[in-house]
mmCIF file of all heavy atoms in Angstrom:
data_model
loop_
_atom_site.group_PDB
_atom_site.id
_atom_site.type_symbol
_atom_site.label_atom_id
_atom_site.label_comp_id
_atom_site.label_asym_id
_atom_site.label_seq_id
_atom_site.Cartn_x
_atom_site.Cartn_y
_atom_site.Cartn_z
ATOM 1 N N PHE A 131 -40.874 -23.940 -13.948
ATOM 2 C CA PHE A 131 -41.870 -24.966 -14.211
ATOM 3 C C PHE A 131 -43.267 -24.361 -14.239
ATOM 4 O O PHE A 131 -43.527 -23.325 -13.639
ATOM 5 C CB PHE A 131 -41.839 -26.052 -13.133
ATOM 6 C CG PHE A 131 -40.680 -27.002 -13.264
ATOM 7 C CD1 PHE A 131 -39.524 -26.807 -12.542
ATOM 8 C CD2 PHE A 131 -40.753 -28.107 -14.091
ATOM 9 C CE1 PHE A 131 -38.450 -27.674 -12.639
ATOM 10 C CE2 PHE A 131 -39.697 -28.990 -14.205
ATOM 11 C CZ PHE A 131 -38.551 -28.775 -13.484
ATOM 12 N N GLN A 132 -44.181 -25.034 -14.931
ATOM 13 C CA GLN A 132 -45.589 -24.672 -14.909
ATOM 14 C C GLN A 132 -46.352 -25.764 -14.183
ATOM 15 O O GLN A 132 -45.992 -26.940 -14.236
ATOM 16 C CB GLN A 132 -46.132 -24.518 -16.337
ATOM 17 C CG GLN A 132 -45.488 -23.374 -17.110
ATOM 18 C CD GLN A 132 -45.879 -23.429 -18.581
ATOM 19 O OE1 GLN A 132 -45.414 -24.258 -19.327
ATOM 20 N NE2 GLN A 132 -46.740 -22.518 -18.982
ATOM 21 N N ILE A 133 -47.420 -25.374 -13.522
ATOM 22 C CA ILE A 133 -48.246 -26.351 -12.818
ATOM 23 C C ILE A 133 -49.213 -26.972 -13.810
ATOM 24 O O ILE A 133 -49.762 -26.294 -14.674
ATOM 25 C CB ILE A 133 -49.006 -25.696 -11.649
ATOM 26 C CG1 ILE A 133 -47.999 -25.132 -10.638
ATOM 27 C CG2 ILE A 133 -49.938 -26.679 -10.970
ATOM 28 C CD1 ILE A 133 -48.644 -24.371 -9.500
ATOM 29 N N ASP A 134 -49.442 -28.286 -13.706
ATOM 30 C CA ASP A 134 -50.396 -28.954 -14.579
ATOM 31 C C ASP A 134 -51.720 -28.215 -14.591
ATOM 32 O O ASP A 134 -52.244 -27.824 -13.547
ATOM 33 C CB ASP A 134 -50.648 -30.393 -14.100
ATOM 34 C CG ASP A 134 -49.483 -31.305 -14.448
ATOM 35 O OD1 ASP A 134 -48.774 -30.979 -15.413
ATOM 36 O OD2 ASP A 134 -49.302 -32.324 -13.782
ATOM 37 N N GLY A 135 -52.282 -28.034 -15.785
ATOM 38 C CA GLY A 135 -53.565 -27.348 -15.899
ATOM 39 C C GLY A 135 -53.433 -25.910 -16.329
ATOM 40 O O GLY A 135 -54.417 -25.268 -16.671
ATOM 41 N N GLU A 136 -52.208 -25.366 -16.305
ATOM 42 C CA GLU A 136 -52.023 -24.006 -16.782
ATOM 43 C C GLU A 136 -52.165 -23.967 -18.302
ATOM 44 O O GLU A 136 -52.247 -24.992 -18.977
ATOM 45 C CB GLU A 136 -50.644 -23.477 -16.371
ATOM 46 C CG GLU A 136 -50.534 -23.214 -14.873
ATOM 47 C CD GLU A 136 -49.219 -22.552 -14.498
ATOM 48 O OE1 GLU A 136 -48.336 -22.445 -15.368
ATOM 49 O OE2 GLU A 136 -49.095 -22.144 -13.338
ATOM 50 N N ALA A 137 -52.191 -22.776 -18.876
ATOM 51 C CA ALA A 137 -52.440 -22.614 -20.300
ATOM 52 C C ALA A 137 -51.413 -23.370 -21.143
ATOM 53 O O ALA A 137 -50.225 -23.372 -20.841
ATOM 54 C CB ALA A 137 -52.399 -21.132 -20.664
ATOM 55 N N THR A 138 -51.903 -24.026 -22.181
ATOM 56 C CA THR A 138 -51.020 -24.709 -23.116
ATOM 57 C C THR A 138 -50.257 -23.678 -23.934
ATOM 58 O O THR A 138 -50.822 -22.661 -24.327
ATOM 59 C CB THR A 138 -51.850 -25.592 -24.072
ATOM 60 O OG1 THR A 138 -52.628 -26.500 -23.284
ATOM 61 C CG2 THR A 138 -50.967 -26.379 -25.016
ATOM 62 N N PRO A 139 -48.965 -23.890 -24.203
ATOM 63 C CA PRO A 139 -48.196 -22.921 -24.987
ATOM 64 C C PRO A 139 -48.873 -22.589 -26.316
ATOM 65 O O PRO A 139 -49.480 -23.445 -26.955
ATOM 66 C CB PRO A 139 -46.863 -23.641 -25.210
ATOM 67 C CG PRO A 139 -46.742 -24.546 -24.029
ATOM 68 C CD PRO A 139 -48.133 -24.996 -23.711
ATOM 69 N N GLU A 140 -48.751 -21.350 -26.728
ATOM 70 C CA GLU A 140 -49.412 -20.856 -27.935
ATOM 71 C C GLU A 140 -49.032 -21.693 -29.150
ATOM 72 O O GLU A 140 -47.875 -21.995 -29.379
ATOM 73 C CB GLU A 140 -49.011 -19.397 -28.170
ATOM 74 C CG GLU A 140 -49.702 -18.758 -29.360
ATOM 75 C CD GLU A 140 -49.285 -17.304 -29.546
ATOM 76 O OE1 GLU A 140 -48.523 -16.802 -28.699
ATOM 77 O OE2 GLU A 140 -49.725 -16.699 -30.527
ATOM 78 N N GLY A 141 -50.021 -22.064 -29.930
ATOM 79 C CA GLY A 141 -49.784 -22.793 -31.165
ATOM 80 C C GLY A 141 -49.919 -24.294 -31.057
ATOM 81 O O GLY A 141 -50.239 -24.968 -32.042
ATOM 82 N N LEU A 142 -49.711 -24.863 -29.884
ATOM 83 C CA LEU A 142 -49.769 -26.317 -29.753
ATOM 84 C C LEU A 142 -51.166 -26.860 -30.039
ATOM 85 O O LEU A 142 -51.321 -27.912 -30.667
ATOM 86 C CB LEU A 142 -49.320 -26.755 -28.358
ATOM 87 C CG LEU A 142 -47.836 -26.625 -28.032
ATOM 88 C CD1 LEU A 142 -47.547 -27.232 -26.676
ATOM 89 C CD2 LEU A 142 -46.977 -27.284 -29.091
ATOM 90 N N LEU A 143 -52.191 -26.151 -29.572
ATOM 91 C CA LEU A 143 -53.551 -26.625 -29.793
ATOM 92 C C LEU A 143 -53.899 -26.602 -31.282
ATOM 93 O O LEU A 143 -54.594 -27.502 -31.777
ATOM 94 C CB LEU A 143 -54.552 -25.784 -28.997
ATOM 95 C CG LEU A 143 -54.535 -26.008 -27.485
ATOM 96 C CD1 LEU A 143 -55.554 -25.105 -26.809
ATOM 97 C CD2 LEU A 143 -54.834 -27.461 -27.143
ATOM 98 N N ASP A 144 -53.437 -25.576 -32.002
ATOM 99 C CA ASP A 144 -53.684 -25.518 -33.443
ATOM 100 C C ASP A 144 -53.042 -26.707 -34.147
ATOM 101 O O ASP A 144 -53.655 -27.361 -34.998
ATOM 102 C CB ASP A 144 -53.128 -24.221 -34.028
ATOM 103 C CG ASP A 144 -53.917 -23.001 -33.583
ATOM 104 O OD1 ASP A 144 -55.081 -23.168 -33.171
ATOM 105 O OD2 ASP A 144 -53.364 -21.892 -33.641
ATOM 106 N N LEU A 145 -51.787 -26.987 -33.809
ATOM 107 C CA LEU A 145 -51.096 -28.108 -34.434
ATOM 108 C C LEU A 145 -51.761 -29.433 -34.080
ATOM 109 O O LEU A 145 -51.906 -30.318 -34.925
ATOM 110 C CB LEU A 145 -49.621 -28.125 -33.998
ATOM 111 C CG LEU A 145 -48.757 -26.998 -34.544
ATOM 112 C CD1 LEU A 145 -47.388 -27.002 -33.866
ATOM 113 C CD2 LEU A 145 -48.597 -27.106 -36.056
ATOM 114 N N GLN A 146 -52.173 -29.567 -32.815
ATOM 115 C CA GLN A 146 -52.845 -30.800 -32.412
ATOM 116 C C GLN A 146 -54.167 -30.967 -33.149
ATOM 117 O O GLN A 146 -54.567 -32.086 -33.501
ATOM 118 C CB GLN A 146 -53.085 -30.793 -30.891
ATOM 119 C CG GLN A 146 -53.645 -32.105 -30.350
ATOM 120 C CD GLN A 146 -52.702 -33.252 -30.603
ATOM 121 O OE1 GLN A 146 -51.553 -33.226 -30.183
ATOM 122 N NE2 GLN A 146 -53.174 -34.278 -31.313
ATOM 123 N N GLN A 147 -54.854 -29.853 -33.418
ATOM 124 C CA GLN A 147 -56.112 -29.911 -34.152
ATOM 125 C C GLN A 147 -55.876 -30.390 -35.589
ATOM 126 O O GLN A 147 -56.662 -31.186 -36.124
ATOM 127 C CB GLN A 147 -56.782 -28.530 -34.164
ATOM 128 C CG GLN A 147 -58.199 -28.525 -34.726
ATOM 129 C CD GLN A 147 -59.193 -29.242 -33.814
ATOM 130 O OE1 GLN A 147 -58.970 -29.327 -32.612
ATOM 131 N NE2 GLN A 147 -60.250 -29.747 -34.411
ATOM 132 N N PHE A 148 -54.797 -29.925 -36.226
ATOM 133 C CA PHE A 148 -54.476 -30.400 -37.573
ATOM 134 C C PHE A 148 -54.226 -31.910 -37.567
ATOM 135 O O PHE A 148 -54.645 -32.622 -38.482
ATOM 136 C CB PHE A 148 -53.238 -29.682 -38.114
ATOM 137 C CG PHE A 148 -53.452 -28.226 -38.449
ATOM 138 C CD1 PHE A 148 -52.465 -27.279 -38.218
ATOM 139 C CD2 PHE A 148 -54.659 -27.794 -38.992
ATOM 140 C CE1 PHE A 148 -52.662 -25.949 -38.540
ATOM 141 C CE2 PHE A 148 -54.857 -26.463 -39.311
ATOM 142 C CZ PHE A 148 -53.866 -25.531 -39.080
ATOM 143 N N ILE A 149 -53.509 -32.384 -36.539
ATOM 144 C CA ILE A 149 -53.239 -33.816 -36.432
ATOM 145 C C ILE A 149 -54.551 -34.577 -36.267
ATOM 146 O O ILE A 149 -54.797 -35.594 -36.928
ATOM 147 C CB ILE A 149 -52.290 -34.092 -35.249
ATOM 148 C CG1 ILE A 149 -50.915 -33.476 -35.513
ATOM 149 C CG2 ILE A 149 -52.147 -35.596 -35.014
ATOM 150 C CD1 ILE A 149 -49.997 -33.474 -34.316
#
Side-chain angles (χ1 to χ4, degrees):
F131 284 96
Q132 296 170 286
I133 298 176
D134 284 335
E136 289 186 352
T138 303
E140 183 179 356
L142 289 186
L143 288 179
D144 290 339
L145 290 171
Q146 186 61 57
Q147 189 69 25
F148 290 143
I149 294 169

